[in-house]
Amino acid sequence: MGKIKKLLVANRGEIALRVMRSAKEMGIKTVAVFSEADRAALHVQFADEAVCIGPPPSSQSYLVMDKIIGAAKETSADAIHPGYGFLSENEDFAKKVKEAGLIFIGPSAESMEIMGSKLGAKAAVSKFNVPLVPGTAEPISDVNAAKKVAKEIGYPILIKASAGGGGKGMRIVEKESEFQEQMERAVSEAISAFGDGAVFIEKYVSQPRHIEFQIFGDQHGNVVHLFERECSIQRRHQKVVEEAPSSVLTPELRKKMGEAAVNAAKAANYYNAGTIEFILDEKLNFYFLEMNTRLQVEHPVTEQITGLDLVKLQIQIAEGAKLPFKQEDLKINGHAIEVRVYAEDPANNFLPDIGVLKTYKRPQGHGIRVDDGFEQGMAIPFYYDPMIAKMICHDETRERAIEKTIRAIDEYEITGVETTLGFCNFVMHHEAFRSGNFSTKFVESYFKPEYLKGQSTPEEEMIAGALAAELILSVPQVQQAVSTQSSESKWKKNRLA
Ligand code: ADP
């Protein structure tokens, strides 16, 4: 296998930059790929070389395997890192990369195939003593047979698409009379989203928490876990705030879940970085949900509490190295919280609100990390995921990490688009979040867009500030009293509005 000298990153935005930064520190040359919409993007500027792989839609660029492998050949790269999203969990891509004589930075195509289907994954891990949500082991197509199973499991139940992802093809059924209609809907949603209508039934766990474990394996059979991440603050079944460690896990439960996560990875002969997702019910029983066979968006919270660089570790493992530590060497240091800054309008059902970043100023200071892919003045392309940045705050305790996050959100200045920052601020102040007593139902239970009205955005503050300044300055006594020195920077800021 040998050392990697040049790495192509088959992705864009913050994750492409994040991967390239670690590669650069390791003395590895970097190659960016980009669509026509991303010509001026930061990942293109950062890379040693960059190759245009087609028009803006990802189906014609970031998802075209042959163009990406062709770019790697053309630039003599010897490895490809897929990032997350796009082709990262596509086993055919992993296979093709290998067949082209290149190193794929991730697990084997075989492991990806096992974990790629939710039912296949459940079947594999059940042999390794990993608890599953009660449900059917096989896809089910006959409505009457399915109804019988649902009755045995007990309502409410969840109908899920085996090929599912992104919350699609998932239907909650509260009672038997709704069953047929919901099953038909789940099947047709699964066919249109995944081209595969296979569905199965699970017990619906009410008020669950989403707790996932970061695992890492090498190609010599060693697997460890790097503790958990709590990702229960979600909208549309997608995460917005993540933290590590979780405030509800005792050391005993952490050990038990960690062992189950390592076993689940072993069930697929897994190596490189992966995530085992569990749900935790109110009685702290945990159940395997699925495995993500790639680096997660929220991996920085794990990096902050373990002090490890997960991308460097991924590269070393892909080169054939053994894991440089054992389970007992790993310790949790402090607490980390990540808030995802999306160009979305929380007051309008979290719908994307793309546009130009008129003002873009990152927070700074002790324990604050911002992973992003934009500068002030740049436009957020309409073709891709509208995430602007991830902000990660690390401190000694959960309380301090929350206080730091509030301070950093306050310092973050973004105008030109609506963002999730105000919503994240709402979360940080909410009693349920602060006490640690919350579930995936947080948004549904507590959030009303009106709550954001009290919090003014930096832009509103500037407009208000400018108006107030005009009023005050029109009063003659004040005109005299205002010293030009002290007002200079403030008025400059106001003029931005
Ligand atoms: P997807 O792959 O579509 O993201 P997952 O199986 O990972 O689907 O589930 C996404 C989210 O849906 C979970 O984080 C959890 O909030 C909820 N969920 C999934 N399965 C159940 C279940 N059996 N009971 C309750 N909630 C569930």
Side-chain angles (χ1 to χ4, degrees):
M1 229 158 291
K3 292 274 177 208
I4 293 166
K5 293 188 193 69
K6 198 189 260 191
L7 175 66
L8 180 142
V9 182
N11 217 299
R12 62 182 299 282
E14 67 88 18
I15 193 63
L17 276 163
R18 193 260 161 276
V19 171
M20 286 180 198
R21 287 197 166 105
S22 289
K24 193 168 178 176
E25 287 173 26
M26 296 169 85
I28 297 171
K29 294 268 178 239
T30 54
V31 181
V33 291
F34 62 98
S35 75
E36 284 157 16
D38 277 339
R39 257 177 214 293
L42 296 183
H43 77 284
V44 177
Q45 295 176 33
F46 187 93
D48 295 304
E49 287 168 79
V51 182
C52 181
I53 49 166
S58 43
S59 60
Q60 295 172 50
S61 50
Y62 296 107
L63 286 172
V64 186
M65 304 185 200
D66 292 340
K67 283 190 187 171
I68 292 167
I69 294 170
K73 289 272 167 201
E74 193 184 305
T75 54
S76 309
D78 41 25
I80 296 184
H81 193 301
Y84 55 69
F86 294 134
L87 294 169
S88 62
E89 293 190 275
N90 186 314
E91 72 250 24
D92 290 334
F93 183 59
K95 230 178 269 170
K96 282 191 176 190
V97 170
K98 201 170 164 197
E99 280 162 12
L102 305 165
I103 297 174
F104 179 77
I105 313 241
S108 68
E110 293 73 30
S111 302
M112 287 163 86
E113 197 176 345
I114 294 172
M115 292 300 181
S117 120
K118 288 188 202 289
L119 273 179
K122 285 175 86 166
V125 307
S126 67
K127 298 190 194 102
F128 281 70
N129 216 4
V130 179
L132 304 178
V133 186
T136 52
E138 301 289 330
I140 204 154
S141 51
D142 180 74
V143 175
N144 286 323
K147 244 188 208 172
K148 221 173 128 211
V149 178
K151 206 168 180 179
E152 277 163 28
I153 295 172
Y155 287 94
I157 57 105
L158 195 61
I159 304 175
K160 273 189 179 180
S162 183
K168 292 200 188 87
M170 207 148 58
R171 293 267 155 190
I172 302 167
V173 191
E174 303 282 351
K175 47 183 191 285
E176 194 170 332
S177 58
E178 295 165 359
F179 189 88
Q180 179 151 0
E181 189 192 339
Q182 294 298 348
M183 175 149 168
E184 281 160 9
R185 282 200 192 168
V187 171
S188 80
E189 225 172 273
I191 291 173
S192 68
F194 314 110
D196 175 358
V199 295
F200 63 100
I201 297 172
E202 255 180 26
K203 172 85 191 149
Y204 179 71
V205 180
S206 52
Q207 309 284 332
R209 299 175 79 112
H210 176 117
I211 309 270
E212 57 184 36
F213 271 72
Q214 175 70 54
I215 66 95
F216 241 100
D218 64 22
Q219 301 185 50
H220 310 276
N222 305 302
V223 184
V224 297
H225 71 82
L226 306 182
F227 313 110
E228 78 280 6
R229 292 183 286 260
E230 158 101 50
C231 314
S232 300
I233 307 289
Q234 307 179 349
R235 44 106 184 72
R236 280 185 254 109
H237 296 298
Q238 289 179 334
K239 305 157 188 167
V240 212
V241 175
E242 301 100 339
E243 61 181 314
S246 162
S247 55
V248 283
L249 260 57
T250 58
E252 295 73 38
L253 183 56
R254 177 170 296 120
K255 187 159 183 279
K256 231 167 116 185
M257 291 180 80
E259 277 166 13
V262 166
N263 282 341
K266 285 187 173 162
N269 292 319
Y270 200 86
Y271 57 76
N272 219 295
T275 294
I276 308 289
E277 295 189 339
F278 294 108
I279 45 176
L280 195 68
D281 70 14
E282 285 166 300
K283 294 189 187 121
L284 301 184
N285 297 307
F286 65 93
Y287 308 99
F288 171 83
L289 264 191
E290 63 166 351
M291 179 172 197
N292 292 323
T293 56
R294 53 167 162 85
L295 194 69
Q296 299 275 93
V297 175
E298 58 274 20
H299 76 276
V301 290
T302 301
E303 297 191 315
Q304 300 311 119
I305 62 152
T306 58
L308 296 166
D309 180 327
L310 299 197
V311 171
K312 279 189 187 163
L313 207 51
Q314 282 194 295
I315 294 174
Q316 287 161 353
I317 298 247
E319 288 176 337
K322 283 192 174 163
L323 277 175
F325 42 71
K326 296 202 165 48
Q327 190 66 58
E328 53 272 26
D329 300 332
L330 298 165
K331 297 229 156 28
I332 297 177
N333 172 25
H335 198 96
I337 297 175
E338 170 177 286
V339 301
R340 299 195 193 180
V341 188
Y342 283 98
E344 285 180 0
D345 187 0
N348 187 15
N349 221 0
F350 292 93
L351 285 176
D353 184 47
I354 46 185
V356 174
L357 293 172
K358 272 204 285 184
T359 320
Y360 185 73
K361 293 207 179 93
R362 300 171 188 90
Q364 295 185 345
H366 173 265
I368 293 174
R369 162 176 174 183
V370 178
D371 282 20
D372 62 15
F374 295 96
E375 295 281 2
Q376 184 160 296
M378 283 184 167
I380 297 158
F382 131 98
Y383 301 95
Y384 316 110
D385 182 72
M387 193 171 77
I388 303 169
K390 309 184 302 208
M391 181 182 77
I392 306 98
C393 294
H394 180 228
D395 214 319
E396 282 169 28
T397 62
R398 185 169 191 265
E399 291 67 36
R400 287 193 183 187
I402 292 174
E403 293 309 329
K404 185 160 285 185
T405 305
I406 291 171
R407 189 273 286 172
I409 289 175
D410 189 52
E411 205 174 307
Y412 219 139
E413 280 186 45
I414 303 179
T415 66
V417 295
E418 294 295 333
T419 77
T420 43
L421 276 173
F423 168 75
C424 294
N425 192 38
F426 168 82
V427 175
M428 293 301 130
H429 282 94
H430 199 280
E431 155 60 20
F433 182 76
R434 294 184 84 109
S435 66
N437 184 18
F438 58 99
S439 74
T440 57
K441 296 276 172 297
F442 181 91
V443 171
E444 209 176 309
S445 312
Y446 305 119
F447 179 62
K448 289 198 184 66
E450 298 87 88
Y451 288 133
L452 295 185
K453 298 225 171 89
Q455 298 175 16
S456 47
T457 62
E459 188 169 37
E460 285 162 350
E461 258 166 40
M462 280 188 270
I463 293 168
L467 287 175
E470 254 173 48
L471 276 176
I472 293 168
L473 287 175
S474 63
V475 179
Q477 298 91 313
V478 179
Q479 272 173 349
Q480 279 171 14
V482 171
S483 105
T484 44
Q485 261 263 296
S486 64
S487 59
E488 175 86 72
S489 62
K490 190 160 174 235
W491 306 149
K492 235 185 231 161
K493 190 175 164 187
N494 287 336
R495 272 203 300 274
L496 279 175

